[in-house]
Amino acid sequence: MTFHLICTLILNEIRLRMRRLNTVVTMLVVIVLAWMMIPDPGTGNTLMSINHARVLYTSSTMALGSASLASLLLGLAGFYLVRGRIAEDLRSGSGSVIAATPVGNVLFLCCRALGGTLYLLTLILALLGAMLICHLLRGEAPIELGIYVQTYVLLLLPMALFCASCAILFDSFSPLMGKAGDVIFFFIWVGQLVLMAKIDGSVAGRIDPAMYFDFIGLATAMANLKAYVDTTYLSLGTASFDPALTAITLPASLWSLKVMTIRAISALLAIMPLVPAIMLFHRFSPDRVRMARARQRRSPLGYLNQWLRPFARLAQPLFRLAQALQGMTGQLVAEMALTVASAPVAGLVLLLIPVLSLLLSATSLPGLLMLTVAIWGILISDISTRDEQTTTADMTGSAAGGASLAYIRHLAASAGIGFMLTGVIALRWLVHEPVRAAAVITGIISFSAIANLLGRLSGTSRTFMSLFLFGLYVAVNTTHISMIDAFGFNGVASLLSVSMQVLIAVAACSAGILQQTMKTWVVDIKGR
């Protein structure tokens, strides 16, 4: 009976996740990234270079390279993909039914965690399939499936277990159910990357205890590879190489018994967040978590919003202006006012950041812009999804223009808040650095379109937030590539990168309008 119950809980968890549209979107993103990970050497770039020499595309190279890059991305995105199921139970009313069943907290949460892990492993399996096809087209040696499986299991299994366990923990403890929990995990992920500097060289010598906590596996993989090739001049990702140097071939097996033991212990430690999750689980008790809390998700950020509630009064003039205006303009102002009213932090930053942009020196503007962009991305991440989350989509769809204009309204509100925050900086750069000023404007527009498109496709704000925070981290640490400098804070944006942002904005906006039009068309057909 217990075994049948476990299988039922796990299978239901997987079925519910696999039926979602965001799963299809995520799989498509994974497949696209798999191809982007493996550049064609004919372009002058390669997946991996050692001492400026290219590494041949064997199974070892492609398995290690793709698994390492996947652990970097899924180590962050996996958490956001898994979490949220308990909040859905609260919103749907099934939480009270679950609480009344004889299923214990340990069994319930462990099955949820295992279901989330298997869901992530399904995405990893899709990545593996895409990589095998890529190997057929670009590989320089026969496919060795065993090497792929071994590498993916050693690197990505502990990562999947850790992401799923943390997602269950953050969903089980009410203060971590909201955006604050999302941001906290982002810093946990950054801490995992910091381990790369700490455990470098630990594979060949004494084991650093920090290696056991390298759940995403990137630090261990890089330290292990450096120990094999006996050099620190190693690049992984899209790396340039010297074609005059002889290409290097990695050995078939890179994983020693020592490293495999370390990864096995990491996998066991990765499930430890389930212990506090079981102890803190609210079990849908009304006195510990409310249905409204599932929507608003009271958290440390929620308490900060409560303390800053006086700044929400800034929304009152905007609401009065929206009432006075008519048509699309009034709706746009109302959306911006709603953002300020629901998140008083927005009112504070709308007052503070423009003033700082005027007073700070020119050398301080890039740092201020970087911080401003991060705050803006978090604020606007749920604009496109809040109607669905608060079950007001039908009501807002009855406004002038209907649901067909909802995407444009949400996009314009997101961009409007961005311009209010960054407009002063763009104006200060307009005369002396016009390209940089243009990057600020086009970056706000393109990412507003992306945020609203991903929100509508996936039905959750976390899809955009995870990718946005990941991209922001990459941009902060890659300061010399113009295409990555989407907002201009690195100072290397070019006309080409600005033009690319315009194209992205047009493509995302068109896709969003098409998606909303098709959704409205389907609803009309069903209504007939």
Side-chain angles (χ1 to χ4, degrees), residues 20 86 214 310 350 453:
R20 294 176 179 172
I86 290 178
D214 177 30
L350 284 171
L453 175 62

Side-chain angles (χ1 to χ4, degrees), residues 179 296 305 309 311-322 330-347 350 379-380 382-393 395-396 409-410 413-414 417 420:
K179 285 186 178 179
Q296 300 173 2
N305 276 329
R309 180 58 58 185
F311 289 99
R313 296 174 183 173
L314 293 174
Q316 297 304 319
L318 291 175
F319 279 124
R320 286 194 289 268
L321 178 61
Q331 295 179 27
L332 168 60
V333 175
E335 289 285 354
M336 297 172 62
L338 184 59
T339 300
V340 177
S342 59
V345 174
L350 284 171
L379 286 176
I380 62 104
D382 61 352
I383 287 181
S384 64
T385 60
R386 64 186 173 197
D387 289 347
E388 294 290 342
Q389 291 174 349
T390 55
T391 63
T392 59
M395 183 178 66
T396 57
R409 186 173 65 247
H410 291 155
S414 302
I417 294 173
M420 292 172 67

Side-chain angles (χ1 to χ4, degrees), residues 4 81 104-105 116 141 189 194 203 209 230-231 240 300 331 380 416 423 432 439 454:
H4 176 72
L81 289 171
N105 292 347
W189 175 77
V194 173
V203 172
D230 194 24
T231 183
S240 59
Q331 295 179 27
I380 62 104
H432 301 291
L454 292 179

Side-chain angles (χ1 to χ4, degrees), residues 51-351:
N51 292 327
H52 304 291
R54 184 172 73 89
V55 180
L56 291 176
Y57 283 176
T58 62
S59 293
S60 295
T61 303
M62 298 186 72
L64 178 62
S66 61
S68 298
L69 294 175
S71 69
L72 183 65
L73 177 58
L74 289 178
L76 177 64
F79 168 81
Y80 300 105
L81 289 171
V82 171
R83 78 172 305 200
R85 282 279 292 112
I86 290 178
E88 288 180 6
D89 292 335
L90 284 166
R91 287 194 292 271
S92 65
S94 60
S96 56
V97 177
I98 296 173
T101 64
V103 178
N105 292 347
V106 175
L107 182 60
F108 176 71
L109 293 180
C110 287
C111 288
R112 279 284 172 94
L114 185 55
T117 302
L118 292 176
Y119 168 68
L120 292 178
L121 292 178
T122 302
L123 298 179
I124 293 170
L125 185 62
L127 171 65
L128 175 60
M131 285 305 307
L132 293 177
I133 297 175
C134 187
H135 190 131
L136 288 173
L137 299 176
R138 294 181 180 174
E140 298 171 292
I143 294 178
E144 298 179 75
L145 186 59
I147 293 178
Y148 273 99
V149 173
Q150 181 189 45
T151 304
Y152 274 54
V153 168
L154 289 175
L155 283 183
L156 299 178
L157 179 59
M159 178 274 298
L161 288 169
F162 180 67
C163 288
S165 299
C166 285
I168 297 301
L169 170 61
F170 281 49
D171 277 350
S172 299
F173 189 42
S174 181
L176 297 179
M177 291 179 68
K179 285 186 178 179
D182 295 339
V183 176
I184 288 172
F185 185 82
F186 171 73
F187 286 104
I188 293 175
W189 175 77
V190 172
Q192 289 281 294
L193 301 184
V194 173
L195 290 177
M196 292 182 64
K198 180 174 176 56
I199 69 176
D200 190 19
S202 296
V203 172
R206 183 182 60 86
I207 297 178
D208 191 320
M211 294 187 70
Y212 299 121
F213 298 94
D214 177 30
F215 301 116
I216 67 174
L218 189 59
T220 302
M222 295 300 292
N224 183 52
L225 183 58
K226 289 177 180 178
Y228 262 96
V229 299
D230 194 24
T231 183
T232 57
Y233 296 98
L234 188 150
S235 296
L236 180 63
T238 303
S240 59
F241 64 95
D242 186 352
L245 298 177
T246 304
I248 297 174
T249 303
L250 291 182
S253 178
L254 291 170
W255 306 100
S256 63
L257 179 61
K258 177 181 179 181
V259 176
M260 288 191 286
T261 302
I262 293 173
R263 296 306 294 159
I265 296 175
S266 295
L268 293 176
L269 293 175
I271 63 176
M272 291 306 296
L274 290 177
V275 176
I278 294 169
M279 298 171 61
L280 298 171
F281 183 40
H282 47 70
R283 198 170 174 83
F284 311 101
S285 175
D287 60 337
R288 299 178 65 183
V289 60
R290 296 187 300 273
M291 183 175 177
R293 180 167 292 184
R295 291 171 182 160
Q296 300 173 2
R297 293 187 173 102
R298 277 291 288 254
S299 62
L301 183 61
Y303 290 112
L304 179 61
N305 276 329
Q306 183 178 3
W307 296 335
L308 298 175
R309 180 58 58 185
F311 289 99
R313 296 174 183 173
L314 293 174
Q316 297 304 319
L318 291 175
F319 279 124
R320 286 194 289 268
L321 178 61
Q323 186 178 10
L325 297 173
Q326 296 182 356
M328 185 66 179
T329 305
Q331 295 179 27
L332 168 60
V333 175
E335 289 285 354
M336 297 172 62
L338 184 59
T339 300
V340 177
S342 59
V345 174
L348 176 61
V349 297
L350 284 171
L351 279 179

Side-chain angles (χ1 to χ4, degrees), residues 361-410:
S361 63
T363 56
S364 302
L365 291 182
L368 178 62
L369 178 62
M370 186 190 310
L371 176 63
T372 302
V373 167
I375 295 172
W376 169 77
I378 294 173
L379 286 176
I380 62 104
S381 62
D382 61 352
I383 287 181
S384 64
T385 60
R386 64 186 173 197
D387 289 347
E388 294 290 342
Q389 291 174 349
T390 55
T391 63
T392 59
D394 293 338
M395 183 178 66
T396 57
S398 64
S404 59
L405 292 180
Y407 176 81
I408 297 178
R409 186 173 65 247
H410 291 155

